[in-house]
Amino acid sequence: MAVLTHPDPRLSQKCDEVQLDCETEMAEISQLVEDLIVTMRKENGAGLAAIQVGIPKRVFVYDNSDVESDQTSATAIINPVITFASEELTEDDEGCLSFPALYAPVTRSQKVVVSGYNQAGEPVTAEAEDFLARVFQHEIDHLDGITFVMHLPDEAKMQALREYFDLHAG
Ligand SMILES: [Zn+2]
């Protein structure tokens, strides 16, 4: 699937909850999850939200491969909600498949807990720190139409957007 890039207006839209009790929709979501994982891998992303391929549903996938055992793995969370976000914050460079080649430092909670559902419609909870906590916050933002540059202070945001347009001009 093709990944939408800024300034595609669909990246600003708030996505709809998945109807967990609708079999037809859940079957579509299972297929979507497979496609999202393939696309995330192809693009070397750490996470991918459904809206980034133009589907306005509250679903994202993330890579949780085990580097040490060389075991690749990816997981989807449907209708994710952040149930805990630490007051402790960290700043690190962040990028997004929808902003190719742009990186900027974003402040996020160091730790989060996310609740949601898997493709079988069963409740799941995921705890994450540091990089993965950043991925969770970034992807869940996408479901509300928020991209990482919106977290930058005004001047840094202007600079990042200017850099982005320069990178992709012509
Ligand atoms: Zn992104």
Side-chain angles (χ1 to χ4, degrees):
M1 304 177 103
V3 176
L4 306 181
T5 56
H6 179 79
D8 192 301
R10 286 170 286 183
L11 292 169
S12 309
Q13 91 184 77
K14 195 170 157 64
C15 302
D16 297 325
E17 295 252 328
V18 173
Q19 301 304 308
L20 298 161
D21 54 2
C22 174
E23 267 183 46
T24 315
E25 182 163 351
M26 288 305 280
E28 285 169 6
I29 293 294
S30 285
Q31 182 59 54
L32 170 65
V33 164
E34 284 181 36
D35 294 342
L36 286 172
I37 290 170
V38 169
T39 304
M40 174 177 72
R41 294 239 160 91
K42 189 169 72 115
E43 305 288 341
N44 286 316
L48 187 65
I51 191 59
Q52 291 181 276
V53 296
I55 312 287
K57 290 287 175 184
R58 303 188 78 80
V59 184
F60 75 93
V61 298
Y62 64 98
D63 183 87
N64 52 355
S65 298
D66 185 353
V67 185
E68 276 171 33
S69 69
D70 206 23
Q71 199 82 343
T72 55
S73 171
T75 301
I77 304 184
I78 297 167
N79 295 346
V81 175
I82 294 176
T83 54
F84 170 82
S86 67
E87 280 176 32
E88 189 189 341
L89 305 174
T90 61
E91 187 188 75
D92 205 352
D93 266 355
E94 208 165 303
C96 178
L97 295 179
S98 295
F99 288 80
L102 183 72
Y103 298 90
V106 179
T107 301
R108 302 275 190 188
S109 286
Q110 187 267 331
K111 181 179 177 181
V112 293
V113 178
V114 173
S115 289
Y117 297 85
N118 63 18
Q119 295 98 298
E122 299 157 346
V124 291
T125 298
E127 273 188 44
E129 294 183 79
D130 302 317
F131 180 75
L132 189 56
R134 179 172 296 281
V135 171
F136 283 177
Q137 292 166 83
H138 178 118
E139 299 308 331
I140 291 170
D141 271 352
H142 272 302
L143 309 183
D144 291 315
I146 297 165
T147 55
F148 80 109
V149 291
M150 291 164 78
H151 286 286
L152 302 174
D154 282 345
E155 203 170 311
K157 189 189 305 168
M158 296 284 284
Q159 197 186 326
L161 289 172
R162 211 176 304 127
E163 188 187 328
Y164 177 78
F165 284 111
D166 286 347
L167 279 166
H168 299 284

